[in-house]
Amino acid sequence: MTKQNTTADPFLTGYDPHTHGGQFLENLATANWLSEALFTALELNFFEILNAFGDDGASIPALSEKLGTDNAALSSFLPLLESLGLIFCYQKNYSNTIITRRYLLSSSPDYLGDAIKFRKFQSQQWHQLKTSLLKNKPIKLNQESESLSPEQINQLKKKAIHELTRMKALECVKFFPKLSGKILIGGPGAQTMADCFIDTFPTLDITILIDDNPFQTDPAALSNLKRPVFNSCSIDELDTTAAKSQHIYSLILFTGLFIANDYQSILDQLLTCLPMLKPQGILMLHDAFDEHATLMARLSGVNRMLHFGGKVCSGESIIHSLQKTGLHVSPLIPLETDTAVIFASQSPDFINALSLSPLKRLKHPLLAIGFDDVIEIAPDSVVVTEFAKNKCAFGCSSANLKHCQANEIPLAETKRLLTTYSKAFLIKGIPGTGEFQRKMLEAERLAFTGGYHKAFVFWAGPCHICPSCDLTAPCLNTKNRRPSMEGSGIDVFETVRNNGETLKTLVAKDEFVKYYGLLLLE
């Protein structure tokens, strides 16, 4: 289960059983309408034309005249773009929003327009999805377009890789508070990644790995780099010089490598670079991984299958393969976008040299315990009310029994406790109760060993931590006893809704049940 998005893109989440299933399917069936609206706006040069009207914006008649569109048709189209947050309307005049000005105007350094246009070209291949799934039906890569020549498509692809890589590279470079010496960068968009690194660390000596397979960096593109200071070498040249070039790189960074079904062969070639790392050097892998932004990762996996015969691989499998070589490896570290990074080094202390948020280090290890989702929240978004305490006291069959009383705290203490924490995770799971509670204890232990000495969990429901419990005798397992959210006055429904999740009361015993726990961190 992925996090429910309550804004304009419910299509980008998995199905939530606490929402209307029929409407979810209708949303899926019409999801391409959104992308077609965005594609059309770019093809009309709409955002650029709208921007030319200045801060006062433009009316529908004024825009129709400039665009050559029908007034009535545009009056239906513009409210859709407004609902998507791409434009806004004030006193019947339309203007670009912040996201549009940043990403959809060609004058912006963060422009993504070419990447989006390339997605339209790729979407044509998705019409062959059924054929590609059938037995004995080879995938035919469609390199034709109604409006673009093969050379135009190739140029658009290069621009798309540059724009998308830059968006990720701006995040990747922030992991390094300082960096010097020689570094090696390979993979699609390596030259863009190199530009971002040298913008931040001008003294770096950067080598770009070029090859058609498996790293797919275009040698011709190197001639268009902003700076002529980058070296380059092929994978074959790297193989022949590895023995005499040991311990020279402070950082080896590969981006977007694992697109082939046989990712192990790519990993094997990558591992030939390891002797070239300094003892304190860092290997950094950046890609889409199945465990992060899972729905988007799986969409990317099908897209790679259609276009490259490839897939999106598991970050855990990559981590395991690196660990088998004796490397010290980080957990999967999510970026704010739909990709993630993995770090590795021969040195056990390497992770201390990185600007890694402890929360980012913790999220995927928590997910690996077996939860459905781990959502970072602010403690002040937790709602504490008399209602929740009263509902436990007067509406639950476990009220006044030991296994309920033993895991609740007074309302005032809950409120006070929350004010002493600045960070928290809302953790989602499913029954059984005892299993969920034991997982919450493991989450607290993992956070404690990860440096959060005040880690403390609230779980769901009366205590079921022990296989059997004598309700007439004092509790003998106080070490593993924790308060429940409900019994401590936390309104779970409102807290969940405050943080973008959906939760509803159940009307039948066979309806889908969600459990939520709270992990406080300081």
Side-chain angles (χ1 to χ4, degrees), residues 166-177:
R166 186 178 185 279
M167 180 172 64
K168 321 288 184 171
L170 292 172
E171 288 193 78
C172 289
V173 75
K174 292 178 182 178
F175 287 110
F176 300 91

Side-chain angles (χ1 to χ4, degrees), residues 153-450:
I153 292 170
N154 191 43
Q155 290 300 317
L156 187 59
K157 178 181 177 181
K158 291 178 182 179
K159 290 179 180 178
I161 290 174
H162 165 73
E163 291 169 4
L164 292 172
T165 302
R166 186 178 185 279
M167 180 172 64
K168 321 288 184 171
L170 292 172
E171 288 193 78
C172 289
V173 75
K174 292 178 182 178
F175 287 110
F176 300 91
K178 59 181 180 179
L179 191 61
S180 59
K182 296 183 177 182
I183 70 173
L184 177 70
I185 302 179
Q191 55 267 36
T192 300
M193 192 72 76
D195 271 334
C196 284
F197 269 81
I198 207 146
D199 279 339
T200 307
F201 306 105
T203 63
L204 286 176
D205 181 353
I206 299 179
T207 296
I208 295 178
L209 190 62
I210 56 172
D211 206 87
D212 291 332
N213 185 29
F215 298 112
Q216 302 185 33
T217 297
D218 181 8
L222 292 174
S223 61
N224 298 320
L225 288 171
K226 289 195 299 184
R227 301 169 182 80
V229 298
F230 300 136
N231 308 305
S232 64
C233 70
S234 70
I235 188 66
D236 291 334
E237 291 171 333
L238 196 69
D239 286 341
T240 58
T241 60
K244 58 183 179 182
S245 302
Q246 294 192 11
H247 310 315
I248 63 171
Y249 291 118
S250 302
L251 171 68
I252 296 178
L253 190 166
F254 292 115
T255 176
L257 296 187
F258 299 104
I259 64 171
N261 274 315
D262 183 18
Y263 80 85
Q264 187 60 48
S265 63
I266 298 174
L267 187 62
D268 290 342
Q269 287 187 294
L270 183 154
L271 294 176
T272 64
C273 302
L274 290 181
M276 307 178 76
L277 266 179
K278 290 182 175 181
Q280 301 292 322
I282 294 173
L283 172 68
M284 180 179 183
L285 305 180
H286 165 252
D287 210 331
F289 296 103
D290 189 67
E291 296 88 350
H292 172 59
T294 299
L295 181 56
M296 283 302 297
R298 290 174 180 176
L299 284 169
S300 295
V302 173
N303 193 58
R304 291 178 178 187
M305 178 269 291
L306 287 168
H307 290 87
F308 316 113
K311 65 177 183 180
V312 165
C313 70
S314 160
E316 287 303 312
S317 63
I318 300 296
I319 290 171
H320 180 66
S321 296
L322 292 174
Q323 288 173 333
K324 287 198 299 184
T325 69
L327 290 174
H328 300 275
V329 188
S330 75
L332 194 67
I333 307 296
L335 301 185
E336 292 182 15
T337 54
D338 60 357
T339 53
V341 293
I342 298 169
F343 296 99
S345 177
Q346 299 169 23
S347 167
D349 302 322
F350 78 97
I351 206 158
N352 296 324
L354 299 170
S355 296
L356 277 180
S357 158
L359 287 181
K360 285 190 174 183
R361 297 190 204 182
L362 189 57
K363 179 173 181 177
H364 279 282
L366 289 177
L367 281 169
I369 293 172
F371 296 113
D372 287 343
D373 205 355
V374 176
I375 306 160
E376 184 179 346
I377 69 169
D380 61 9
S381 71
V382 177
V383 179
V384 183
T385 64
E386 292 281 356
F387 159 76
K389 290 286 285 186
N390 291 339
K391 190 65 176 177
C392 274
F394 299 103
C396 178
S397 60
S398 296
N400 300 319
L401 294 179
K402 182 189 77 174
H403 69 313
C404 188
Q405 287 182 332
N407 65 331
E408 63 180 42
I409 56 179
L411 189 76
E413 173 63 13
T414 302
K415 290 181 178 179
R416 187 202 65 78
L417 184 66
L418 287 168
T419 64
T420 66
Y421 286 85
S422 61
K423 295 171 281 292
F425 279 128
L426 187 65
I427 298 179
K428 181 163 65 174
I430 57 175
T433 305
E435 181 181 0
F436 180 78
Q437 292 171 349
R438 284 185 283 274
K439 288 178 180 178
M440 289 300 297
L441 288 176
E442 174 61 15
E444 182 187 280
R445 186 199 66 79
L446 202 61
F448 178 84
T449 58

